[in-house]
């Protein structure tokens, strides 16, 4: 009763009304900006046409990144943390994106503030726990076309046309993957990151210590914002699985929380095998997060353990790989009660 009486006080009522008015005004402002952005298009232009145009003009778009490291972050590298080093915990950047500046475009510029996790100077520990792969797969793939259906069957190019400069896993999961890469990718390696984005989760030193870091991904603007890459090629593996690289080009191929979106995963892994050097390895990481509308049907019906077995089956049917190894690298300890799980499957190409 006391709580209800407080809600009815004039002061609280005024606060609620002000909040409501502010929310409505903010929504109107965002709506008006969205309308002003679309006002330059013809009346017959659809959202799909706009997204298609955004994809086509991505090659003529640019990112200008001004990096500003918060000095207080460096202090987070506490001496009593075994995972600490001289790197900051995160890097705050201002990314300026200019897009649609082709000959027929309507040039616009947007500034974005982004935070990149370095995977260093964190309070977590990163154990690597082996996971046994026990499922016996039949000689021929048992999958049906229905297994690879998705709730959103529309062109992935439209879904991914607008850059998402965000993380799809939490910081402990990012850090665990970064530390795993540091321990398991030798210096001087040539690396390919498939299904990549504005971050590849590699350690900060990798651009200096690796021979080459290439990437394919859905969004050219996100790939341009990835400052760890030596080169990149926009690629929709759900339309064409062939990778744009010669045979035996890479020592390592990585893929972060994306295998669940591929509708031709076996063919994609055949291509991974082709571009790997003999003895090279594929490192696929997986968590429990996804865009449910874009993940394949059978993935959504499985748990984390079954996901690992499924990926192992993909590698088996792709062929040309030694028996796979799986690991649970989920971050441990630290302040968070919940941490996204993180798993690895490694597959070494036969020599």
């Amino acid at each position: 009763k006391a709580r209800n009486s407080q809600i009815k006080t004039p002061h609280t009522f005024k606060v609620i009304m002000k909040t409501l008015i502010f929310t409505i005004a903010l929504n109107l402002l965002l709506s008006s900006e969205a309308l002003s952005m679309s006002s330059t298009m013809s009346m017959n232009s659809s959202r799909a046409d706009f997204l298609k145009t955004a994809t086509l003009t991505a090659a003529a778009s640019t990112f200008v990144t001004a990096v500003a490291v918060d000095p207080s972050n460096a202090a987070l590298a506490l001496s009593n943390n075994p995972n600490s080093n001289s790197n900051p915990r995160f890097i705050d950047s201002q990314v300026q994106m200019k897009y649609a500046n082709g000959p027929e475009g309507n040039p616009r510029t947007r500034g974005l503030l982004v935070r990149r996790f370095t995977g260093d100077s964190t309070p977590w520990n990163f154990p690597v726990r082996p996971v046994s792969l026990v499922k016996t797969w039949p000689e021929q793939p048992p999958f049906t076309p229905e297994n690879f259906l998705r709730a959103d069957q529309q062109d992935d190019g439209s879904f991914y046309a607008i850059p998402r400069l965000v993380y799809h896993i939490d910081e402990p999961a990012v850090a665990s993957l970064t530390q795993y890469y540091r321990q398991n990718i030798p210096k001087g390696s040539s690396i390919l990151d498939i299904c990549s984005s504005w971050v590849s989760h590699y350690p900060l030193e990798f651009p200096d210590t690796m021979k080459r870091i290439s990437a394919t991904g859905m969004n050219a603007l996100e790939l341009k914002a990835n400052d760890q890459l030596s080169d990149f090629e926009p690629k929709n593996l759900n339309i064409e699985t062939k990778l744009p690289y010669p045979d035996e080009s890479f020592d390592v191929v990585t893929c972060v929380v994306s295998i669940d979106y591929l509708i031709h995963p076996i063919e994609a892994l055949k291509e991974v095998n082709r571009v790997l050097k003999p003895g090279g390895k594929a490192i696929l990481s997986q968590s429990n997060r996804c865009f449910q509308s874009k993940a394949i049907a059978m993935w959504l019906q499985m748990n984390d353990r079954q996901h690992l077995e499924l990926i192992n089956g993909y590698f088996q049917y792709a062929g040309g790989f030694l028996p796979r190894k799986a690991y649970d690298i989920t971050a441990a300890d630290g302040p968070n009660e919940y941490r996204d799980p993180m798993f690895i499957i490694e597959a070494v190409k036969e020599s």
Side-chain angles (χ1 to χ4, degrees), residues 77-250:
L78 303 176
S79 59
N80 60 353
N81 185 347
N83 300 309
S84 297
N85 54 30
S86 59
N87 292 332
R89 181 169 172 177
F90 52 82
I91 298 174
D92 289 329
S93 307
Q94 182 177 354
V95 178
Q96 192 175 61
M97 179 179 66
K98 185 177 182 180
Y99 60 100
N101 57 326
E104 299 179 357
N106 176 25
R108 281 159 287 175
T109 300
R110 290 291 182 271
L112 300 172
L113 293 177
V114 296
R115 171 166 291 183
R116 174 184 164 194
F117 298 128
T118 68
D120 292 320
S121 303
T122 69
W124 299 286
N125 293 313
F126 305 104
V128 177
R129 298 168 287 260
V131 177
S132 297
L133 298 171
V134 298
K135 182 177 176 61
T136 300
W137 290 93
E139 184 176 347
Q140 296 298 322
F143 311 121
T144 66
E146 289 74 20
N147 292 148
F148 297 98
L149 291 178
R150 300 174 298 168
D152 181 359
Q153 292 284 89
Q154 297 186 35
D155 179 19
D156 290 340
S158 296
F159 184 82
Y160 293 103
I162 304 301
R164 293 180 175 89
L165 303 182
V166 298
Y167 281 91
H168 302 289
I169 49 178
D170 64 13
E171 186 189 6
V174 171
S176 66
L177 184 58
T178 299
Q179 299 303 325
Y180 188 86
Y181 284 156
R182 179 175 281 136
Q183 298 299 321
N184 291 276
I185 299 181
K187 293 181 180 180
S189 294
S190 293
I191 307 173
L192 170 63
D193 190 28
I194 64 172
C195 305
S196 187
S197 66
W198 72 288
V199 289
S200 292
H201 310 296
Y202 298 135
L204 286 178
E205 71 272 12
F206 265 32
D208 297 323
T209 60
M210 298 300 157
K211 182 177 180 180
R212 171 188 183 186
I213 302 178
S214 303
T216 66
M218 287 293 302
N219 189 288
L221 295 174
E222 289 193 19
L223 295 172
K224 283 186 177 183
N226 190 333
D227 60 4
Q228 292 192 309
L229 302 180
S230 308
D231 57 88
F232 65 85
E233 185 73 29
K235 185 77 175 176
N236 185 345
L237 295 179
N238 280 340
I239 293 180
E240 174 57 62
T241 57
K242 185 174 178 59
L243 295 171
Y245 307 101
D247 296 356
E248 302 180 2
S249 297
F250 299 98

Side-chain angles (χ1 to χ4, degrees), residues 1 30 44 70 78 138 141 162-163 177 186 206 224 243 257 277 281 295 311 317 344:
K1 292 182 179 179
L30 293 176
N44 296 326
D70 184 351
L78 303 176
I162 304 301
L177 184 58
F206 265 32
K224 283 186 177 183
L243 295 171
V257 295
K277 300 175 183 178
K281 61 183 174 182
I311 297 171
Y317 297 125
I344 293 286

Side-chain angles (χ1 to χ4, degrees), residues 13-33:
F13 179 78
K14 290 181 180 179
V15 171
I16 293 174
M17 290 302 299
K18 287 181 179 180
T19 302
L20 180 60
I21 293 171
F22 175 80
T23 303
I24 294 173
L26 179 60
N27 288 332
L28 289 174
L29 177 63
L30 293 176
S31 299
S32 64
E33 181 174 353

